Amino acid sequence: VKNLITSSQLTPKIIERIFLKAQRFESGLKKGIKTLDILKGITVCTLFYEESTRTRFSFEKATHNLGGNIISTESASHFSSAHKGESLEHTIKVISNPNNPHLRYADIIVLRHPEKGAAQRAANVSGVPIINAGDGFGEHPTQALLDIYTFKKILGRLNNFNIAFVGDLRFSRIIKSDAVLLSKYPGIKMFFVSPKEFRIREELRLYLSQNNIAFEECNNIKTVIKKIDIAYIVRIQKNRLKGIKKILLCWKYERQKDNFSATKEIYEMSEKRGTFFCHPMPIDKKEKEISPEIENLSRVKIFEQAGYGVPVRMAILDILYKDSKKPRNE
Ligand code: CP
C-alpha cells in the first residue's frame, strides 16, 4: 500500500491487516497507552480544502498517539496559497519534495479536496504517501474502513448480513466507498433507500451489477427496516448543491424526509430484528436524519463509530508509512 485513494484498491487481506493493527491499537488505548513511537520524527500534513471535524481531528489524534508531528491547514482554499492561485500539484510537490527528500515538509499527506479525482492527481506528483480523506463526490476510503470496522464490531462478522443505505445516496462519496468495500465479502445484501432525485449513481449501479452483488433500490425505510441488520443513514449533502438546483432538491427532500430518517417509530419497528443504526456524521441539525430521541439508545452506534476513527487511522498511518519505505517489488 503506497497511497490510499479508493476502496477498490483494498483487498480483504489488506483490510484484515489494517483491522488487526487497529484492534491492537484500540486495546492499547483502552489500557491508557497513548503515545507510541511508531511515527517518531515523522510529520503528517493534514491538508484540508474542505471543512471537517471527525476526519481531520481523528487523523491528528492518531498521529499524536503514534508519536508523530502534525502540520495542518483547516481551510486550504482560503488559508493556503491556493487562495493566490497555486495549483494542487505545486502545493503537493512543495510539501513532499520528490527530488529532495531531505527538504520535504511532511512524510505523509492526508488530503481532503472538493474535486473528484484530486487525491489521484496528488498521488501522481507526490514524493510521499497520499491518503484520500474525501475528494468531492468521489470517495472517502478511510471512512469506509472505519465503517466496516464498526460493522464487524457490532455484528461480530463481515459476511451474511443485510444493510440499507438511506438518504442522499447520489451526492454522498461515502456510499460508494462503503458499497465497494462490502462487495468484497460474501452474503451481504444491500438496499439503497432514497428519494428518486438522490438515487445512487450509474457507475455504482453498474459496478454492483457487473460484480453480481445482490442489491435493491427503494424509496421508504419502512419497507426494509424489518429485513436489515444495519441501517446506514446519510444526510442530504447541501454543501455539494448550489443555486436553484439546491433550492429545488432541498424542497423535494424536505417533503419526503420521514421516509429516509431514523425516528423513534423506525427504531421500535426494528426491535425484534435488533437492527443497528450507523451514520458517518455530521447529522444535519435541521433535518435530524437520526432523531435526537434515539441517538443515545443502545442500537444507535454513531458516537462509537466516530471514535473508531482513531485506532483505524492509527493503523492506516502505520501501515502506509512502513509500506512506503519498502522497495517496490517487496
Ligand atoms: N464523516 C466525516 O467525514 O466527517 P467530517 O466531515 O467531520 O470529517
Side-chain angles (χ1 to χ4, degrees), residues 243-262:
I244 193 75
K245 188 175 174 191
K246 179 174 182 171
I247 295 167
L248 197 67
L249 286 177
C250 287
W251 178 74
K252 287 194 172 168
Y253 177 85
E254 291 279 339
R255 283 174 56 216
Q256 326 166 52
K257 74 175 180 186
D258 285 352
N259 299 343
F260 313 103
S261 302

Side-chain angles (χ1 to χ4, degrees), residues 45-49 72-95 105 113:
C45 174
T46 49
L47 181 62
F48 276 50
Y49 289 78
S72 181
T73 173
E74 66 180 89
S75 180
S77 310
H78 298 100
F79 301 128
S80 78
S81 286
H83 197 56
K84 300 177 201 159
E86 185 168 67
S87 67
L88 174 67
E89 282 79 359
H90 271 184
T91 303
I92 296 293
K93 278 166 103 168
V94 168
I95 296 170
Y105 299 174
H113 198 280

Side-chain angles (χ1 to χ4, degrees), residues 98-199:
N99 298 323
N100 305 286
H102 63 297
L103 298 178
R104 60 180 51 137
Y105 299 174
D107 306 286
I108 301 176
I109 297 173
V110 182
L111 175 71
R112 174 169 287 190
H113 198 280
E115 288 166 24
K116 186 179 177 189
Q120 186 57 58
R121 275 170 49 212
N124 292 345
V125 297
S126 181
V128 303
I130 297 287
I131 299 177
N132 182 3
D135 59 339
F137 52 75
E139 283 222 36
H140 195 353
T142 69
Q143 177 71 41
L145 280 166
L146 82 87
D147 286 343
I148 74 161
Y149 184 79
T150 307
F151 304 159
K152 193 173 178 193
K153 286 267 177 184
I154 60 185
L155 296 176
R157 63 186 189 282
L158 265 184
N159 52 46
N160 300 315
F161 64 83
N162 294 346
I163 182 167
F165 295 102
V166 184
D168 170 5
L169 311 181
R170 186 166 188 77
F171 300 100
S172 163
R173 56 191 166 208
I174 290 168
I175 299 303
K176 181 180 170 203
S177 295
D178 276 20
V180 169
L181 265 203
L182 288 177
S183 73
K184 296 168 192 280
Y185 295 89
I188 298 178
K189 174 150 187 185
M190 302 183 212
F191 294 92
F192 295 98
V193 187
S194 67
K196 76 173 181 347
E197 297 80 8
F198 295 92
R199 280 191 187 148

